[in-house]
């Protein structure tokens, strides 16, 4: 823990590398918007559903798009280009596979131990859709690549946030609470400090796992680096990076002010576009792109059943106003439309609706539902955990009577007045059991059972059908439709509760399996987090808190490859503390350690944000400079030299200053490896020492002595 405190923000950021998110398996089932799931179920009721409509649903969801891309790219012929869009992926798969992916959607869990309570799921989906629409509109308006590929990039770039909320719900909730009211850079810093990775890098790792090419990953990784002021990406991906940067900014404006884009007066993002893009777009073009993006975003929002209006009260009376995270995970989902919510609330005695506050609720309309506090406590101790039961019946009297008996038995009751609203409530609240009437207008009880069994989330629900039919064929038909059990009407309350208790035994077994699964999931998530921390510690010098020689050589290899491939400038500065042996011999090793720590702190505070400083060993340090060329590295070296010289070191038994000799070397095509570059810098250091120390010398420069004391 003490070691971690010595690390700078830049060092932490530099330590995040490709493939660092070891918990990829745990992010395979990211949640989808409940409204989108409802749309998918509606389309799949008919075997002749429109493939294009189903594809549009998949395309609007980051989780389903990721699954589609992964399946398509994992099965593509060798040597062929990977699918870069949902449409390209769908073209590689048959209709059955696409339908199966669509129905594999997951929902936000209701268990407090699984949900990230500080994460605003609704706003996340709104922002992802806005970013996709903005990237698509900007690519089309400025002819910056394929608009559909830009849509995919925009849709998936924020998926790392959803993955962190899913894999590390408790830790990520703590991060969000600490960053409440702060900016995006603070969030990235907090993520790296707590989890040793940030959400941009998680998104890049997920996209790589889904088979997307480097052209998709590079812009997201650039955002990961530039979030902390690190070096910008190479010119090859500059265009897509600029587009994504502007799309992210525009998306935030769209979500914050959904109605602003229609007027054409949008000026947000123009300055960013002017500075980031390779050309200077007209302000009017940005406004037109904003209008197109807003219109497209509204279409996608309607498809996903999300409420675009900010600060709107949610189903359980809470809001999702915080831009970083909401304290209400359930409230942020907005799973039911206003009209549907009204119908649901009026169908439940006491207006409990589908609120989480209706646990064991009482009704002001019916005194019989009131239970004494002592009796209620006894019921709560007799029921190990609350079982949520959804009652679906178009008869208000039957619905009310079922609620009375079930609540008295200690169950949490959710009520819906018909099959359609029952299906919406099932997606919104994930009940453990559904008790549904068979004969209802519109969506019947059997159709409701079939719809729930089609989706993965509905296969765990225990289904009990109420019917007045007692014929053998009818019973068989109900069971084949997916029902676990049936009960004839009018029902006997004792028989009803006996059937429910039988179902609860099945539910309890399922819940125990789920608890075991969650334990394994937590262990795996903690193992991934620990692996990153150990990897980070293995690359860190425990005395100074700087990165060590191993990290320096790894970073230098990456920078060397970029210099060879893209012509990016690369220079290094070798630093050696003058007469350090005299300090150790004259004052002891404790003072020597203090000098090393103090010098390291000066170097860390004075390097540029794009540079990396490491301790090679002993009194030697190395700075890797990736911007500015040789002259920029020389200026950096002189700044470091003067800063160390002017810094007074105080330690028990010692108060004074030290100086350093520095050697600068630049990559040149004639060099064969990083060893040649490091050797050149080392020779320049020896040259500085031979000229009197406390100076900067450059390798291969006609002016050997750049600065002297």
């Amino acid at each position: 823990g003490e070691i971690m405190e010595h690390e700078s923000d830049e060092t932490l950021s530099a330590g995040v590398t490709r493939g660092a998110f070891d918990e990829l398996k745990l992010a395979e089932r990211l949640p989808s918007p409940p409204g989108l799931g409802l749309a998918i179920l509606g389309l799949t009721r008919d075997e002749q559903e429109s493939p294009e409509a189903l594809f549009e649903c998949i395309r609007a969801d980051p989780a389903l798009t990721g699954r589609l891309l992964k399946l398509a790219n994992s099965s593509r012929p060798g040597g062929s280009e990977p699918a870069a869009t949902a449409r390209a992926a769908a073209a590689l798969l048959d209709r059955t596979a696409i339908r199966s992916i669509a129905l594999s959607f997951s929902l936000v869990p209701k268990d407090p131990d699984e949900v990230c309570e500080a994460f605003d799921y609704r706003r996340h989906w709104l922002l992802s859709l806005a970013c996709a629409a903005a990237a698509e509109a900007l690519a089309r308006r400025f002819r910056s690549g394929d608009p559909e590929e830009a849509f995919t990039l925009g849709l998936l770039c924020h998926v790392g946030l959803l993955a962190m909320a899913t894999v590390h719900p408790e830790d990520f909730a703590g991060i969000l609470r600490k960053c409440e009211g702060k900016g995006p850079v603070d969030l990235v810093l907090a993520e790296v400090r707590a989890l040793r990775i940030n959400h941009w890098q998680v998104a890049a790792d997920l996209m790589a796992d889904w088979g997307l090419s480097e052209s998709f990953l590079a812009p997201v990784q650039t955002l990961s680096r530039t979030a902390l002021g690190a070096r910008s990406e190479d010119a090859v991906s500059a265009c897509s990076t600029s587009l994504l940067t502007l799309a992210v900014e525009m998306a935030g404006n769209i979500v914050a002010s959904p109605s602003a884009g229609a007027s054409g007066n949008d000026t947000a993002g123009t300055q960013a576009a002017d500075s980031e893009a390779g050309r200077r777009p007209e302000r009017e073009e940005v406004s037109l792109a904003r209008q197109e993006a807003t219109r497209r975003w509204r279409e996608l929002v309607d498809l996903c059943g999300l409420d675009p209006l900010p600060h709107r009260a949610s189903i359980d009376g809470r809001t999702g106003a915080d831009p970083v995270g909401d304290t209400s995970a359930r409230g942020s989902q907005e799973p039911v439309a206003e009209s549907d919510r009204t119908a649901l609330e009026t169908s439940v005695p006491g207006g409990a609706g589908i609120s989480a506050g209706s646990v064991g609720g009482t009704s002001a309309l019916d005194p019989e539902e009131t239970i004494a506090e002592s009796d209620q406590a006894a019921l709560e101790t007799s029921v190990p955990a609350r079982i949520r039961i959804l009652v679906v019946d178009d008869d208000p009297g039957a619905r009310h009577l079922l609620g009375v008996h079930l609540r008295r038995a200690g169950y949490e009751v959710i009520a819906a007045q018909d099959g359609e609203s029952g299906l919406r409530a099932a997606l919104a609240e994930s009940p453990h059991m559904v008790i549904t009437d068979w004969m209802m207008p519109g969506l019947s009880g059997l159709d409701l059972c079939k719809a729930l069994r089609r989706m993965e989330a509905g296969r765990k629900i225990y289904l009990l059908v109420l019917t007045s039919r007692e014929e053998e064929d009818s019973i068989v038909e109900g069971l084949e439709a997916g029902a676990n059990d049936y009960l004839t009407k009018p029902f006997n309350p004792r028989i009803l509760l006996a059937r429910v208790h039988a179902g609860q035994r099945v539910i309890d077994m399922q819940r125990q399996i789920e608890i075991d699964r969650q334990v394994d999931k937590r262990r795996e998530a903690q193992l991934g987090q620990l692996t990153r921390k150990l990897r980070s510690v293995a690359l860190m010098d425990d005395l100074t808190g700087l990165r060590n020689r191993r990290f320096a050589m790894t970073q230098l290899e990456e920078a060397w490859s970029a210099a060879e491939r893209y012509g990016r400038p690369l220079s290094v500065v070798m630093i050696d503390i003058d007469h350090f042996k005299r300090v150790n011999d004259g004052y002891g090793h404790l003072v020597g350690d203090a000098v090393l720590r103090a010098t390291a702190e000066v170097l860390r505070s004075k390097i540029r944000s794009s540079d990396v400083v490491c301790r090679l060993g002993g009194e030697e340090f190395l700075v890797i400079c990736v911007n500015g060329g040789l002259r920029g590295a020389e200026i950096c070296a002189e700044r470091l030299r003067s800063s160390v010289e002017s810094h007074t070191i105080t330690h028990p038994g010692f108060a004074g200053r030290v100086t350093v000799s520095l050697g600068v070397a630049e990559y040149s095509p004639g060099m064969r490896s990083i060893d040649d570059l490091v050797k050149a810098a080392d020779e320049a250091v020896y040259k500085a020492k031979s000229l009197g120390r406390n100076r900067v010398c450059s390798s291969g420069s006609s002016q050997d002595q750049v600065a002297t004391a």
Side-chain angles (χ1 to χ4, degrees):
E2 295 176 356
I3 291 174
M4 306 302 173
E5 292 300 320
H6 290 143
E7 292 185 282
S8 68
D9 299 335
E10 293 82 2
T11 304
L12 283 167
S13 179
V16 179
T17 58
R18 175 78 63 81
F21 193 58
D22 299 288
E23 307 93 304
L24 278 173
K25 277 188 176 181
L26 303 180
E28 289 180 349
R29 294 294 176 187
L30 300 177
S32 303
L36 186 68
L38 186 65
I40 291 172
L41 289 176
L43 289 171
T44 54
R45 284 183 205 167
D46 184 3
E47 293 295 331
Q48 303 300 320
E49 83 277 353
S50 167
E52 183 66 23
L54 196 59
F55 164 76
E56 284 297 324
C57 289
I58 295 176
R59 184 172 179 257
D61 179 40
L64 293 181
T65 296
R67 293 178 205 173
L68 184 69
L69 287 168
K70 184 171 184 177
L71 180 60
N73 288 328
S74 63
S75 58
R76 64 187 171 89
S80 61
E81 287 293 322
T85 67
R87 190 176 299 278
L92 299 175
L93 302 172
D94 58 31
R95 183 173 176 178
T96 303
I98 296 173
R99 181 186 174 95
S100 176
I101 289 174
L103 288 169
S104 69
F105 64 86
S106 302
L107 299 173
V108 178
K110 293 299 176 183
D111 191 334
D113 293 333
E114 296 182 59
V115 69
C116 183
E117 295 185 347
F119 184 66
D120 191 337
Y121 290 88
R122 180 185 69 89
R123 188 181 187 279
H124 169 78
W125 287 314
L126 290 173
L127 190 62
S128 297
L129 294 174
C131 195
E136 182 182 45
L138 289 167
R140 183 179 294 111
R141 178 64 56 179
F142 297 112
R143 298 178 176 85
S144 305
D146 183 358
E148 191 151 355
E149 290 188 4
F151 181 95
T152 303
L153 177 61
L155 181 74
L156 299 181
C157 71
H158 288 101
V159 74
L161 289 166
L162 188 61
M164 294 180 94
T166 302
V167 177
H168 297 285
E170 186 175 348
D171 291 337
F172 195 53
I175 292 171
L176 292 177
R177 292 189 184 101
K178 288 181 181 178
C179 295
E180 187 174 357
K182 298 181 180 180
V185 173
D186 298 288
L187 176 61
V188 170
L189 274 172
E191 289 170 345
V192 177
R193 289 195 175 280
L195 300 174
R196 292 285 149 169
I197 198 167
N198 65 68
H199 65 270
W200 296 115
Q201 189 59 54
V202 172
D205 284 357
L206 284 171
M207 291 161 69
D209 185 58
W210 295 336
L212 289 170
S213 64
E214 183 66 28
S215 62
F216 275 80
L217 274 58
V220 180
Q221 289 177 315
T222 300
L223 291 179
S224 172
R225 294 182 181 277
T226 56
L228 295 174
R231 68 174 184 264
S232 59
E233 197 47 77
D234 53 81
V236 174
S237 62
C239 183
S240 55
T241 300
S242 300
L243 182 143
L244 182 59
T245 301
L246 181 54
V248 168
E249 180 181 349
M250 185 178 288
N253 293 327
I254 290 173
V255 174
S257 305
S259 60
S263 63
N265 296 324
D266 174 68
T267 58
T270 304
Q271 184 177 358
D274 293 345
S275 60
E276 292 285 346
R279 53 190 171 176
R280 183 182 179 88
E282 295 294 333
R283 192 176 295 268
E284 181 182 355
E285 291 295 312
V286 176
S287 295
L288 291 173
R290 162 71 186 265
Q291 292 178 57
E292 293 177 13
T294 303
R295 286 194 295 268
R296 178 68 175 130
W297 175 70
R298 286 171 178 159
E299 295 173 359
L300 295 168
V301 165
D302 289 341
L303 177 64
C304 295
L306 296 167
D307 182 3
L309 297 178
H311 313 294
R312 178 177 181 268
S314 65
I315 290 176
D316 55 4
R318 292 173 288 185
T319 61
D322 180 29
V324 176
D326 186 357
T327 56
S328 168
R330 294 188 183 184
S332 63
Q333 295 176 47
E334 293 290 344
V336 184
E338 184 70 30
S339 59
D340 300 324
R341 184 180 66 171
T342 302
L344 288 169
E345 289 179 347
T346 55
S347 68
V348 182
I354 59 173
S355 165
S358 61
V359 178
T362 61
S363 170
L365 300 179
D366 191 343
E368 292 181 359
E369 293 192 43
T370 305
I371 303 176
E373 290 186 2
S374 58
D375 296 335
Q376 185 67 32
L379 285 172
E380 290 178 352
T381 56
S382 66
V383 180
R386 286 286 178 181
I387 300 294
R388 290 188 302 277
I389 300 179
L390 171 62
V391 175
V392 186
D393 201 315
D394 60 324
D395 181 356
R399 193 169 60 241
H400 173 82
L401 191 59
L402 284 167
V404 169
H405 292 298
L406 293 172
R407 286 193 182 93
R408 283 180 172 174
Y411 296 102
E412 177 184 347
V413 179
I414 308 163
Q417 62 184 3
D418 53 42
E420 293 288 349
S421 59
L423 184 57
R424 280 188 285 271
L427 291 177
E429 288 299 301
S430 299
H432 302 98
M433 181 182 297
V434 173
I435 300 177
T436 178
D437 187 23
W438 183 319
M439 302 299 296
M440 292 184 294
L443 190 69
S444 69
L446 291 196
D447 292 334
L448 176 60
C449 292
K450 292 176 182 178
L452 292 174
R453 292 306 189 213
R454 278 199 300 272
M455 65 176 185
E456 287 190 9
R459 291 169 191 164
K460 298 179 182 179
I461 299 175
Y462 192 89
L463 302 179
L464 179 62
V465 176
L466 297 176
T467 177
S468 57
R469 302 179 177 182
E470 299 186 68
E471 301 87 359
E472 181 179 315
D473 291 343
S474 298
I475 294 172
V476 171
E477 182 183 1
L479 296 175
E480 289 183 346
N484 296 93
D485 202 352
Y486 74 98
L487 184 65
T488 57
K489 296 175 66 175
F491 62 86
N492 183 310
R494 293 182 61 192
I495 301 298
L496 166 69
L497 294 179
R499 297 290 176 98
V500 170
H501 291 158
Q504 183 180 337
R505 288 193 289 271
V506 176
I507 293 170
D508 288 341
M509 287 188 290
Q510 291 177 339
R511 293 174 75 172
Q512 186 57 53
I513 294 173
E514 187 63 22
I515 289 172
D516 295 340
R517 188 187 69 82
Q518 284 300 316
V519 170
D520 292 340
K521 177 183 174 181
R522 286 187 180 183
R523 287 175 179 170
E524 190 171 345
Q526 291 170 355
L527 181 60
Q529 185 177 348
L530 179 61
T531 300
R532 278 193 299 276
K533 288 186 177 181
L534 292 175
R535 188 186 296 134
S536 177
V537 170
L539 298 174
M540 186 172 58
D541 175 54
D542 57 355
L543 176 64
T544 63
L546 298 178
R547 293 297 181 177
N548 60 18
R549 183 184 186 89
R550 181 184 301 174
F551 179 84
M553 296 302 106
T554 301
Q555 287 293 106
L556 204 50
E557 286 283 5
E558 293 181 4
W560 180 277
S561 299
E564 283 188 321
R565 185 175 180 182
Y566 305 119
R568 178 189 294 164
L570 171 61
S571 301
V572 295
V573 179
M574 185 77 74
I575 305 169
D576 192 284
I577 300 178
D578 296 328
H579 302 300
F580 182 71
K581 187 174 185 300
R582 294 182 185 177
V583 176
N584 268 336
D585 293 344
Y587 296 94
H589 288 285
L590 290 179
V591 172
D593 290 347
V595 169
L596 287 172
R597 283 194 294 266
T599 303
E601 188 58 39
V602 172
L603 297 177
R604 177 164 45 204
S605 64
K606 296 300 180 180
I607 63 169
R608 298 172 298 183
S609 60
S610 59
D611 299 337
V612 178
V613 59
C614 308
R615 183 190 177 199
L616 295 184
E619 68 271 26
E620 286 188 330
F621 301 87
L622 182 73
V623 177
I624 303 172
C625 307
V626 295
N627 289 325
L630 180 65
R631 183 55 184 160
E634 289 173 344
I635 295 173
C636 172
E638 171 55 23
R639 182 174 62 253
L640 296 177
R641 186 204 65 77
S642 62
S643 298
V644 171
E645 182 188 23
S646 61
H647 181 71
T648 301
I649 302 171
T650 58
H651 188 271
F654 178 85
R657 301 176 182 178
V658 296
T659 61
V660 291
S661 297
L662 304 95
V664 182
E666 183 182 28
Y667 161 81
S668 64
M671 294 179 175
R672 293 172 297 178
S673 67
I674 61 172
D675 293 335
D676 292 342
L677 181 61
V678 173
K679 182 180 179 181
D682 200 33
E683 290 174 350
V685 170
Y686 279 107
K687 191 180 298 183
K689 287 182 175 292
S690 66
L691 291 173
R693 293 182 170 83
N694 190 24
R695 67 194 64 221
V696 177
C697 284
S698 297
S699 173
S701 173
S702 58
Q703 185 181 1
D704 289 335
Q705 186 173 330
V706 178
T708 61

